Amino acid sequence: MASSAQPPHFHLKPGKSNSFQSKAHKRRNVHFYWNFGIRKVFTRKSQGLSVLSSSSSSTHFSNSQLHGLCANGKLEEAMKLLNSMQELRISVDEDAYVAMVRLCEWKRAHEEGSKVYSIALNSMSSLGVDLGNAFLAMFVRFGNLVDAWYVFGKMSERNLFSWNVLVGGYAKQGYFDEAMCLYHRMLWVGGVKPDVYTFPCVLRTCGGIPDLARGREVHVHVLRYGYELDIDVVNALITMYVKCGDVKSARLLFDRMPRRDIISWNAMISGYFENGMCHEGLKLFFAMRVLSVDPDLMTITSVISACALLGDGRLGRDIHAYVISSGFAVDVSVCNSLTQMYLNAGSWREAEKVFTRMERKDIVSWTTMISGYEYNFLPEKAIDTYRMMDQDCVKPDEIAVAAVLSACATLGDLDTGVELHKLAIKARLISYVIVANNLINMYSKCKSIDKALDIFHNIPRKNVISWTSIIAGLRLNNRCFEALIFFRQMKMTLQPNAITLTAALAACARIGALMCGKEIHAHVLRTGVGLDDFLPNALLDMYVRCGRMNIAWNQFNSQKKDVSSWNILLTGYSERGQGSVVVELFDRMVKSRVRPDEITFISLLCGCSKSQMVREGLMYFSRMEEYGVTPNLKHYACVVDLLGRAGELEEAHKFIQKMPVTPDPAVWGALLNACRIHRDIELGELSAQRIFELDKESVGYYILLCNLYADCSKWREVGKVRRMMKENGLTVDAGCSWVEVKGKVHAFLSDDKYHPQTKEINTVLEAFNEKMRDVGRTRTSSESSSMNDTEISRDEIFCGHSERKAIAFGLINTVPGMPIWVTKNLNMCESCHDTVKFISKTVRREISVRDAEHFHHFRDGECSCGD
């Protein structure tokens, strides 16, 4: 680079060629003016001013000035000079263009580089080697492969550097097939022999695809052209082989190397780790230390990452000690790797120590801690760390925002989630699909599903996770019908993964969409996706919740039986009130050497409760510790329900008072439900009082209290509870029932008047009402007139009678004798229960209704729940 930014000076020497100038100099005062390197000579005469210019001299000096500005890194002045030269039509030589292009590349000046490129193309029909290579290097550095390819085509001649730059550019941006095609064109069309710079680029391409066959072909070329001893080329070969999964060949090359550098060791060690051979990689690391080869940052971070993969806390601490003793502990990337290692091993306190002692933290440090807390089920700490990050004025990236959103979803922290949503929009992070997907998840779990749908519809390129998140979110918000519609839409463009299928099966199970569930089952068998994962249990759960126990048993017997499989069957029979079957299944499970867990005992105790098997239930509760299960609040609630349903209300109350832990609303809720069944207002009010001291948001407890008062004809108290609900802003979901007819699921709301067959449905229901009146199965007109309005509205609100419409639709649209299966989101009221019993006896059909708590199987006027 030039030592001074001053423009070069002109020196006039005496001689023949300068005689005119010498004489003129004596006669006139000569002034030189510089305007962006353009010389203008003004001569004063008595009559005026005349201008003399020299075209060749102006060109020469202008290009010299351009060189000087580029050498001093003055891009703005150089661009002004270049523009002035274009306006005055002063030609720019190739060397000046090359200097300009290299300056644009060095300063990462995209706009100026494109301007220089445009000017050069307008002034010359083809590009020389030097200028073409300069443009190639600049555009490849900028990631602009389109213009790089155009430059390559405009070059009148190409050398090895031209090919190397373009091949490397395509390889770096992941266009591996194009890079390989260019390499073959270079060999067979360009007639250029590769060198030590060519092979690393090409081998990186083979490893990136990965394509072992092409990699071996390039290895042959390395041998043919005599580069098998070049350390950089051999290092690239080792990397290619490990990327392609051929670790054996890589190790063979490594062992045969006459000389190795740190890159050789790193390539082989990290290659072992990448292929899941962590122990071999660590052995090689220790061998490296025995040979007194000092590791670098890459070596250390790779070894720490291997410890994280192995989950070997002791080895990780040993490596940590080595890091401290060798002086690497001051490096941010090493500390980040140590933090990640401890978090992966569940040692979050050790990770906190490393994080706290870091003198300098980058965005990776903060993101690692936030994500690690979320991974270790510490969402509160994740959000607190995000607040600390914000106080340190560190702007979060998309990974950090996604991790904090996941923590908000776990906690149901809508306020922080909305704050992050605004930040993502302001920082333009919303365009990252990982952020959008986590926003969908957060809004779904915070019961703001409409906001989640808005986010989903605004994602330009939805991936499988996007679809899975919205399907699971709709299912979570009891909009299963829509969830299945989205699932069908997804299948038109993307293949669902095991998690998507699980979410869709959960939606099928919720609304009893058996045919859709069977379609998913067929897809699973056809593709084999998720068969070794949790999907078989999702299929089993779908069949159980759809009431098809025979198919469920076939599925159970055809899959691997883990504790979840047994729990699904136990829960299914428990919901049907078949306690003896539940006990029998539990014994079979224990004999199969499957260890029961917390959920197992919840199902077991619920089954005993609904079948009045008090003695057996208490016996299993007392034996929980024998199976290594410590009773929690859910188990205590089950025991209260067990005693309460059997009419032992005082015993249930005493059990609560003797509990070793503080009872939660669910425990008192079990007692309140028992008081409703046995119409004990005094104890029921006590239970409700305890509940509302702890929880005023759950609408279910208000419904239980309303039902208790209504069953005891305390209508004034029912009205008071209804007013409490209104004051607290609580509403009951509208009654909705689903029935599947001919493979299609139909939904019926309690106040639905717009169904195409509403008229026929109402006619059928009215006919049944008339028959019930004829046989005395309904209240008389005098009884109805004396009923309080609150009593009438109670059934409408807390039940909705939507199952009647679904059953009537099924009767109209199916052949006589075919069973009807209905699913409902609320509990059946007594009136509906009596009506369906009457219908089943009249039409001689089996009718199954699964409400929010029970399976009701009606046959010949009887129900499996025993009323």
Side-chain angles (χ1 to χ4, degrees):
M1 293 179 66
S3 60
S4 173
Q6 297 294 324
H9 296 279
F10 301 113
H11 301 282
L12 301 179
K13 296 182 180 179
K16 292 182 180 180
S17 61
N18 290 329
S19 58
F20 172 76
Q21 289 92 330
S22 300
K23 292 175 183 177
H25 188 268
K26 292 177 183 178
R27 295 195 303 269
R28 305 178 185 90
N29 294 321
V30 182
H31 303 278
F32 293 87
Y33 292 91
W34 289 92
N35 181 12
F36 300 111
I38 303 172
R39 188 181 69 169
K40 296 181 179 179
V41 182
F42 294 90
T43 307
R44 288 190 190 277
K45 291 186 179 180
S46 56
Q47 290 89 3
L49 190 67
S50 63
V51 181
L52 302 175
S53 64
S54 171
S55 177
S56 61
S57 297
S58 296
T59 301
H60 173 72
F61 291 125
S62 298
N63 281 288
S64 298
Q65 181 69 1
L66 196 58
H67 269 290
L69 291 171
C70 292
N72 285 281
K74 297 184 177 181
L75 180 59
E76 187 176 350
E77 290 89 336
M79 288 301 300
K80 289 180 180 178
L81 176 55
L82 181 63
N83 289 329
S84 298
M85 291 173 69
Q86 288 299 301
E87 291 172 4
L88 296 171
R89 297 185 179 179
I90 297 174
S91 62
V92 183
D93 63 36
E94 186 169 323
D95 290 341
Y97 272 128
V98 171
M100 283 291 298
V101 174
R102 287 175 179 168
L103 180 59
C104 291
E105 180 188 351
W106 177 59
K107 286 186 172 284
R108 302 290 196 275
H110 293 241
E111 187 176 342
E112 290 82 355
S114 298
K115 178 69 175 175
V116 174
Y117 174 54
S118 177
I119 293 171
L121 283 185
N122 290 333
S123 62
M124 54 186 70
S125 58
S126 63
L127 300 174
V129 173
D130 292 339
L131 182 56
N133 286 343
F135 276 124
L136 273 176
M138 180 186 73
F139 283 128
V140 166
R141 177 71 63 87
F142 293 168
N144 185 355
L145 294 180
V146 174
D147 284 335
W149 177 250
Y150 190 75
V151 167
F152 191 75
K154 289 283 287 184
M155 291 175 69
S156 57
E157 184 182 349
R158 306 180 189 96
N159 60 13
L160 180 57
F161 180 84
S162 316
W163 291 96
N164 283 348
V165 169
L166 198 58
V167 170
Y170 275 104
K172 188 175 181 181
Q173 289 204 36
Y175 296 102
F176 300 123
D177 289 330
E178 291 80 355
M180 287 303 299
C181 288
L182 273 172
Y183 170 68
H184 286 294
R185 286 185 65 181
M186 180 188 86
L187 291 178
W188 314 121
V189 180
V192 179
K193 291 183 179 180
D195 65 359
V196 291
Y197 300 104
T198 313
F199 285 118
C201 292
V202 178
L203 289 166
R204 184 190 304 127
T205 298
C206 298
I209 296 175
D211 191 330
L212 184 58
R214 285 185 180 182
R216 285 176 173 160
E217 180 186 341
V218 176
H219 192 171
V220 172
H221 295 171
V222 169
L223 298 172
R224 181 185 300 165
Y225 292 106
Y227 291 105
E228 66 273 13
L229 296 179
D230 185 272
I231 192 168
D232 293 326
V233 175
V234 179
N235 287 344
L237 278 167
I238 291 171
T239 303
M240 180 274 296
Y241 276 118
V242 296
K243 293 284 184 186
C244 292
D246 189 355
V247 183
K248 187 176 180 181
S249 296
R251 184 60 191 262
L252 198 62
L253 279 170
F254 178 82
D255 290 338
R256 290 178 177 176
M257 291 178 75
R259 183 173 63 88
R260 305 183 189 99
D261 60 9
I262 188 62
I263 297 173
S264 315
W265 287 96
N266 285 344
M268 197 64 240
I269 291 170
S270 61
Y272 274 126
F273 296 153
E274 287 174 16
N275 285 274
M277 304 168 71
C278 295
H279 290 103
E280 288 78 0
L282 289 170
K283 285 179 185 176
L284 190 60
F285 169 72
F286 294 130
M288 170 187 175
R289 296 298 302 121
V290 169
L291 294 172
S292 300
V293 179
D294 292 327
D296 63 2
L297 284 175
M298 183 177 175
T299 322
I300 295 298
T301 52
S302 294
V303 171
I304 294 171
S305 299
C307 294
L309 288 172
L310 287 171
D312 191 334
R314 181 178 177 182
L315 179 61
R317 284 187 286 273
D318 291 342
I319 295 295
H320 189 178
Y322 173 76
V323 164
I324 294 171
S325 63
S326 57
F328 284 108
V330 296
D331 186 83
V332 175
S333 61
V334 172
C335 290
N336 291 342
S337 296
L338 284 169
T339 306
Q340 187 70 64
M341 175 193 74
Y342 282 124
L343 288 168
N344 284 1
S347 304
W348 58 270
R349 289 185 177 85
E350 295 296 324
E352 275 185 346
K353 291 177 184 177
V354 176
F355 180 76
T356 306
R357 291 170 184 166
M358 291 174 69
E359 294 180 4
R360 185 174 63 86
K361 302 178 181 73
D362 59 10
I363 183 61
V364 178
S365 314
W366 291 101
T367 304
T368 301
M369 280 307 298
I370 292 169
S371 303
Y373 280 136
E374 175 61 19
Y375 175 78
N376 283 278
F377 306 105
L378 298 165
E380 296 92 348
K381 282 185 170 287
I383 294 176
D384 290 342
T385 307
Y386 164 71
R387 299 290 183 200
M388 291 167 54
M389 175 184 176
D390 188 48
Q391 289 171 5
D392 274 16
C393 299
V394 179
K395 293 183 179 179
D397 60 5
E398 68 277 9
I399 306 298
V401 171
V404 182
L405 283 169
S406 180
C408 293
T410 304
L411 293 173
D413 187 350
L414 182 60
D415 292 337
T416 306
V418 170
E419 177 189 328
L420 285 163
H421 188 183
K422 292 176 181 177
L423 171 68
I425 294 171
K426 185 178 179 181
R428 297 182 179 179
L429 297 174
I430 195 75
S431 58
Y432 290 94
V433 71
I434 186 175
V435 174
N437 291 344
N438 276 278
L439 278 168
I440 293 170
N441 184 46
M442 183 274 296
Y443 279 122
S444 297
K445 290 185 177 178
C446 292
K447 306 300 180 184
S448 298
I449 188 62
D450 290 326
K451 289 288 292 180
L453 285 165
D454 289 341
I455 300 292
F456 176 80
H457 289 308
N458 286 318
I459 299 176
R461 296 181 181 177
K462 302 172 182 68
N463 59 17
V464 173
I465 299 173
S466 311
W467 287 97
T468 303
S469 298
I470 197 64
I471 291 167
L474 288 164
R475 158 67 188 92
L476 194 64
N477 285 269
N478 294 320
R479 290 167 67 168
C480 301
F481 207 76
E482 291 174 75
L484 294 179
I485 292 172
F486 274 82
F487 176 67
R488 291 188 184 278
Q489 290 176 355
M490 174 194 178
K491 289 199 297 181
M492 295 177 185
T493 55
L494 289 171
Q495 280 296 321
N497 61 18
I499 300 173
T500 319
L501 295 172
T502 301
L505 284 168
C508 294
R510 179 68 185 86
I511 63 174
L514 179 66
M515 289 307 297
C516 183
K518 285 184 173 181
E519 288 176 15
I520 296 172
H521 194 173
H523 174 83
V524 170
L525 294 174
R526 186 168 59 250
T527 60
V529 60
L531 280 175
D532 298 326
D533 212 340
F534 43 79
L535 201 53
N537 282 337
L539 286 165
L540 177 62
D541 182 63
M542 183 271 297
Y543 285 124
V544 167
R545 298 184 69 188
C546 285
R548 305 314 200 268
M549 296 307 294
N550 290 336
I551 306 177
W553 270 108
N554 291 337
Q555 174 63 29
F556 179 77
N557 291 327
S558 67
Q559 69 178 62
K560 181 182 177 182
K561 301 171 186 63
D562 57 11
V563 65
S564 297
S565 313
W566 287 98
N567 286 346
I568 290 167
L569 277 183
L570 287 166
T571 303
Y573 283 108
S574 174
E575 288 178 347
R576 285 162 178 76
Q578 300 182 27
S580 58
V581 179
V582 172
V583 170
E584 182 186 342
L585 271 175
F586 177 78
D587 292 339
R588 285 178 58 184
M589 174 184 178
V590 172
K591 289 177 182 176
S592 301
R593 296 184 179 179
V594 177
R595 193 176 186 84
D597 61 8
E598 295 176 356
I599 299 172
T600 311
F601 281 99
I602 291 173
S603 299
L604 184 59
L605 292 171
C606 285
C608 292
S609 173
K610 291 179 181 179
S611 299
Q612 306 279 306
M613 298 167 63
V614 178
R615 185 175 58 81
E616 291 86 347
L618 292 174
M619 183 266 292
Y620 284 118
F621 178 77
S622 65
R623 291 178 55 191
M624 285 178 64
E625 298 282 358
E626 296 177 16
Y627 297 97
V629 179
T630 302
N632 59 31
L633 284 167
K634 291 181 180 179
H635 299 108
Y636 286 111
C638 289
V639 174
V640 173
D641 186 64
L642 174 74
L643 294 169
R645 282 180 185 270
E648 300 178 19
L649 298 179
E650 287 302 323
E651 288 296 320
H653 189 206
K654 290 177 182 178
F655 179 82
I656 293 175
Q657 292 173 324
K658 293 178 181 178
M659 280 173 56
V661 292
T662 303
D664 65 353
V667 174
W668 287 109
L671 183 58
L672 175 59
N673 185 52
C675 292
R676 178 193 64 82
I677 294 170
H678 299 286
R679 302 185 180 184
D680 187 331
I681 290 181
E682 184 179 352
L683 190 55
E685 287 178 335
L686 173 66
S687 303
Q689 183 183 343
R690 296 287 186 268
I691 290 169
F692 297 140
E693 287 172 359
L694 301 169
D695 182 4
K696 294 183 179 180
E697 303 296 323
S698 299
V699 70
Y701 299 124
Y702 292 91
I703 294 173
L704 278 176
L705 186 57
C706 271
N707 288 338
L708 169 61
Y709 284 137
D711 291 342
C712 297
S713 300
K714 299 285 186 179
W715 304 113
R716 184 174 297 176
E717 283 73 11
V718 172
K720 288 180 181 179
V721 177
R722 292 277 303 281
R723 282 193 293 274
M724 284 173 58
M725 293 173 64
K726 191 173 183 180
E727 289 169 3
N728 292 330
L730 301 175
T731 57
V732 181
D733 291 337
C736 184
S737 294
W738 298 270
V739 62
E740 188 176 52
V741 174
K742 298 175 183 177
K744 186 177 179 181
V745 178
H746 299 263
F748 294 88
L749 293 171
S750 54
D751 56 350
D752 189 2
K753 299 177 182 177
Y754 302 101
H755 192 277
Q757 292 183 268
T758 296
K759 188 176 179 181
E760 297 94 316
I761 290 169
N762 289 337
T763 301
V764 169
L765 291 176
E766 185 57 38
F768 282 121
N769 281 333
E770 289 180 6
K771 288 183 179 180
M772 290 177 72
R773 280 195 293 268
D774 292 341
V775 297
R777 293 291 292 273
T778 60
R779 293 183 177 95
T780 64
S781 58
S782 60
E783 289 175 325
S784 297
S785 62
S786 66
M787 286 172 62
N788 189 291
D789 289 341
T790 309
E791 182 183 4
I792 297 171
S793 63
R794 176 181 70 103
D795 285 350
E796 293 291 342
I797 292 171
F798 300 149
C799 171
H801 312 316
S802 58
E803 65 269 46
R804 301 188 192 188
K805 296 180 180 181
I807 292 167
F809 178 83
L811 293 171
I812 294 169
N813 293 280
T814 57
V815 297
M818 179 175 286
I820 296 172
W821 300 81
V822 175
T823 304
K824 188 182 180 183
N825 65 332
L826 304 177
N827 286 332
M828 289 184 80
C829 68
E830 186 178 349
S831 174
C832 286
H833 196 267
D834 291 339
T835 301
V836 179
K837 284 202 298 183
F838 180 80
I839 292 173
S840 70
K841 185 174 183 179
T842 303
V843 299
R844 296 181 181 179
R845 288 217 212 181
E846 293 184 18
I847 301 173
S848 291
V849 180
R850 192 189 83 217
D851 65 14
E853 289 187 10
H854 305 281
F855 260 100
H856 301 273
H857 188 74
F858 299 93
R859 184 175 183 178
D860 295 329
E862 300 293 333
C863 180
S864 59
C865 75
D867 298 338

